[in-house]
Amino acid sequence: MKKEKKSALHISSGTDSPAVYNPELLQKFRRKKHSSEEFIEAIQKGDSVLLSQAITLVESNKESDQAEAEKIVAACLQHKNNSIRIGITGSPGVGKSTFIEFFGKMLIEKGLKVAVLAIDPSSQLSHGSILGDKTRMQELSTNPNAYVRPSAAGDSLGGVARKTRETIYLCEAAGFDVIIIETVGVGQSETAVHSMVDFFLLLLLPNAGDELQGIKRGVVEMADLIAVNKSDGAALAQAKLAKAQYQNALHMFPPKIGGWIPSAELCSGLSGTGIEAIWEKIEAYKKQMSENNYWQKHRAEQAKYWMHESILQHLKDMFYHHPKIKDLLPEIESELIAGKISSFKAARLLLEKFMD
Ligand code: GDP
C-alpha cells in the first residue's frame, strides 16, 4: 500500500484566515479609563467592579497608577465608615477559609457587609502561595454583600502590607462593616496584620502543641482571642483539654492595654458551633475599647506606626537605588568581606557618600 504524505502544516488553498478577534468587541471590553472622581463616587455607591479596579491601581507599581491611587485613597479616607478590622491567622490547614466562609455568611445574615483581604507571605519567598491557588470561600465570594480579594503580589512584606492597608480604606469607603485580614501564621506577616487590625484572632488545632503548628510564642501573645478550631467529632475531648491549656498560657501574659483579657474558645468552622460566641466576644471587645477610648487610641498608634514604617521603607529604597550607592556598594562589600573594614565603618562610608 502506498504511504500517504502527511503534514501538520497543510493549509487549504483559497480560504482566508479568519480574524482572531473581533476588533469592535475588543474595543468594547477594553477597560474604560475613569477619573478619580468617578472612582470615588462609584466606590461609595458600593460598585464592586470599580472597587476592584481601584485596588488594582493601589497594587500597581506603575508611577502613574500610584499617583491615581493616592488620590482615590485620600478621598476614601474622608468617607470611611465605622468598620471593625479583624485579623485572622493560623497555620495552613487549620481551617481559616472554612471558618471565614461560615463567619462571613453569619455576619451577612445579621445585615453586615464583609470584605476579606489576604496577606500571603509565601508569595514573596517562593513565588507560590501557601494560602492556596484553590478557589477559597466559594459561597462567600459570590455573595453580593461580600468582597473577597486574594493576596496582593509584591516583592516585600512592607509593600504588600502598605497595599493591604490602603485597600482597607477603599473597602471602608465602599461601606464594608467588617474587614477580615487573613494571613497564614508562619512568618512575619502576623506582626504586620496585627498592626493594622482592631482585633486579632488566632486559630489553633485541638491536637498539637503550638510549636508543632509552627506558631511562635509572640503570635500567641498578640492574640485577643484563641479559637481552638475543628472542635468537633472525635476531636472534641482533646479540644477541651487544649482550650484549658491555652487559657492557662494566656494567663501568663501581662494584661493588654485597654484592660482586655484574652480567652480561649472552642469552635468548628465546619459545623459552625462556637462561631456566634466568637462574634459576641469581638462585639464585647469593641464595646469595652470604645468606652475607655482605647479603640481610637489604638488606631491612632497604628497610623503613626505605619507612617514611620513608610518613611523607613522610602529611605531604604532611595538609598539602595541611588546611583552612587549602586556603584560603591560592591567595592565596600568586598573590603568588608576581606576584613579590611568593620561593618559599622562600611555603613558609615556608604551613608556619607549618600548624604554627600
Ligand atoms: P486553611 O488552609 O487554614 O484555609 O484550611 P481550610 O479551611 O482549607 O481547611 C483545611 C481542611 O480542614 C479542609 O479539608 C477542611 O474541610 C477541614 N476543616 C476545616 N474546618 C474544619 C472544622 O471545623 N472541622 C473539621 N473536622 N474539619 C475542618
Side-chain angles (χ1 to χ4, degrees), residues 317-335:
D317 287 349
M318 271 163 63
F319 179 80
Y320 285 107
H321 290 125
H322 198 287
K324 278 196 221 163
I325 298 302
K326 276 190 185 164
D327 283 351
L328 190 63
L329 193 59
E331 196 183 306
I332 299 264
E333 273 179 351
S334 19
E335 283 189 32

Side-chain angles (χ1 to χ4, degrees), residues 91-98 134 136 229-230 232 268-270:
S91 53
V94 71
K96 290 181 295 302
S97 53
T98 311
K134 62 185 168 140
R136 312 173 80 241
N229 195 29
K230 303 199 186 181
D232 47 39
S268 164
L270 209 56

Side-chain angles (χ1 to χ4, degrees), residues 225-257:
L225 181 75
I226 288 181
V228 182
N229 195 29
K230 303 199 186 181
S231 299
D232 47 39
L236 191 56
Q238 203 153 24
K240 285 183 180 162
L241 208 67
K243 175 184 153 156
Q245 283 167 352
Y246 286 124
Q247 193 72 56
N248 280 338
L250 286 170
H251 282 317
M252 314 285 265
F253 297 125
K256 300 219 160 203
I257 312 164

Side-chain angles (χ1 to χ4, degrees), residues 20-280:
V20 275
Y21 59 79
N22 176 342
E24 277 170 39
L25 262 184
L26 191 75
Q27 195 61 36
K28 192 174 158 202
F29 288 120
R30 193 164 275 160
R31 200 203 290 164
K32 187 175 169 276
K33 263 214 151 286
H34 296 281
S35 67
S36 32
E37 289 73 24
E38 281 173 323
F39 267 118
I40 295 151
E41 210 185 305
I43 288 171
Q44 274 186 274
K45 282 187 189 147
D47 181 331
S48 59
V49 174
L50 260 74
L51 172 66
S52 288
Q53 287 183 14
I55 297 175
T56 305
L57 288 175
V58 164
E59 290 173 354
S60 163
N61 290 326
K62 258 173 64 186
E63 236 168 75
S64 58
D65 287 348
Q66 283 184 1
E68 181 81 3
E70 206 168 294
K71 272 198 244 167
I72 301 171
V73 171
C76 284
L77 264 175
Q78 311 302 316
H79 297 286
K80 66 187 172 64
N81 64 357
N82 205 2
S83 79
I84 172 155
R85 307 166 185 165
I86 304 170
I88 297 186
T89 193
S91 53
V94 71
K96 290 181 295 302
S97 53
T98 311
F99 177 93
I100 295 172
E101 176 104 315
F102 192 96
F103 185 60
K105 285 194 294 183
M106 180 192 81
L107 296 178
I108 288 169
E109 273 170 31
K110 291 180 190 296
L112 299 168
K113 283 181 75 185
V114 180
V116 184
L117 314 173
I119 287 196
D120 186 347
S122 53
S123 52
Q124 294 117 42
L125 300 175
S126 61
H127 299 285
S129 162
I130 300 183
L131 284 178
D133 296 323
K134 62 185 168 140
T135 313
R136 312 173 80 241
M137 301 162 234
Q138 232 152 4
E139 278 185 58
L140 197 61
S141 51
T142 50
N143 191 303
N145 287 316
Y147 181 76
V148 179
R149 178 89 181 182
S151 176
D155 47 14
S156 73
L157 178 60
V160 173
R162 176 189 65 76
K163 291 166 184 176
T164 307
R165 230 181 111 74
E166 299 199 329
T167 301
I168 293 177
Y169 299 143
L170 299 185
C171 290
E172 287 174 345
F176 289 97
D177 308 288
V178 181
I179 320 271
I180 295 171
I181 318 288
E182 178 197 10
T183 193
V184 62
V186 293
Q188 294 198 306
S189 56
E190 304 93 338
T191 316
V193 171
H194 181 249
S195 57
M196 60 175 86
V197 297
D198 305 306
F199 191 91
F200 194 65
L201 171 63
L202 172 62
L203 296 188
L204 291 172
L205 290 171
N207 53 1
D210 36 335
E211 315 82 44
L212 285 180
Q213 297 181 43
I215 303 292
K216 293 190 208 98
R217 191 190 133 96
V219 177
V220 176
E221 198 169 352
M222 280 192 274
D224 293 305
L225 181 75
I226 288 181
V228 182
N229 195 29
K230 303 199 186 181
S231 299
D232 47 39
L236 191 56
Q238 203 153 24
K240 285 183 180 162
L241 208 67
K243 175 184 153 156
Q245 283 167 352
Y246 286 124
Q247 193 72 56
N248 280 338
L250 286 170
H251 282 317
M252 314 285 265
F253 297 125
K256 300 219 160 203
I257 312 164
W260 179 251
I261 300 167
S263 62
E265 306 292 333
L266 298 179
C267 76
S268 164
L270 209 56
S271 70
T273 45
I275 305 224
E276 179 79 45
I278 291 177
W279 175 241
E280 282 167 15

